[in-house]
Amino acid sequence: MALWLDAWAKGDHKTRVAINLAGAFQRHNHVEKALEWHQRALALSPSNGIVLCNMGLWFEGRARLERNALSQQFTQNGLLEPNEYKARLAQANQYLAQAVVLVREGLKRCPEDPNVRLFAKRVEDHAAGVGVNVIAATEAPASELVLR
């Protein structure tokens, strides 16, 4: 990570640098820092399919974190207040819906990239597995989707 941070600090503001920093922060569970770098990559290259797919994976990760937190809270406390449960589950589903839209857009732009295809399928399968059905992608630009 230090190498990529140094490159950025020295003025190497390329999409690849931002993508690698986002991935490094994500691997180290620095979720908000990862989002910041994903957004920088998106600002540099808004139609880059890999950037869109990576953003989708970030949102899928947030959905998983939220669902896991709900499970853990239920396991520890036995019950959850119904309104809190519904709100947090709705937030997890919103994250997952955003992930689906972003990976679909990434796949449109990089249909031959095997990693984009693999991760798009993983996100779609996750959404289907928990009952999140995104029928059609929104008409909003991807940069608006990720900043909500």
Side-chain angles (χ1 to χ4, degrees):
M1 184 172 5
L3 172 71
W4 295 112
L5 284 169
D6 188 52
W8 188 269
K10 289 180 179 175
D12 189 1
H13 296 180
K14 294 181 183 153
T15 303
R16 176 178 51 91
V17 175
I19 287 171
N20 287 332
L21 280 164
F25 279 113
Q26 204 155 328
R27 282 188 298 282
H28 288 92
N29 294 321
H30 297 290
V31 178
E32 295 307 318
K33 267 307 221 197
L35 177 60
E36 175 186 324
W37 286 99
H38 283 304
Q39 289 174 330
R40 286 184 189 191
L42 188 63
L44 290 167
S45 189
S47 62
N48 184 311
I50 292 169
V51 171
L52 292 166
C53 185
N54 286 346
M55 282 296 304
L57 291 172
W58 185 89
F59 276 101
E60 184 206 19
R62 284 304 300 249
R64 287 182 188 277
L65 284 173
E66 191 62 37
R67 285 179 184 279
N68 288 343
L70 281 171
S71 267
Q72 187 175 26
Q73 187 177 350
F74 180 77
T75 301
Q76 289 173 349
N77 300 334
L79 293 174
L80 293 174
E81 195 276 313
N83 290 333
E84 177 189 358
Y85 174 80
K86 288 177 187 175
R88 290 178 64 190
L89 186 59
Q91 181 63 65
N93 289 343
Q94 178 61 35
Y95 286 144
L96 194 50
Q98 285 182 283
V100 169
V101 169
L102 286 161
V103 298
R104 283 179 182 171
E105 191 61 32
L107 191 56
K108 276 192 230 173
R109 295 171 194 264
C110 291
E112 301 304 317
D113 186 303
N115 288 322
V116 171
R117 285 198 319 265
L118 174 74
F119 291 127
K121 180 170 178 5
R122 183 182 95 180
V123 170
E124 292 270 3
D125 288 349
H126 177 190
V130 297
V132 172
N133 186 12
V134 180
I135 303 292
T138 178
E139 295 300 315
S143 58
E144 290 180 21
L145 286 172
V146 299
L147 300 176
R148 288 185 187 159

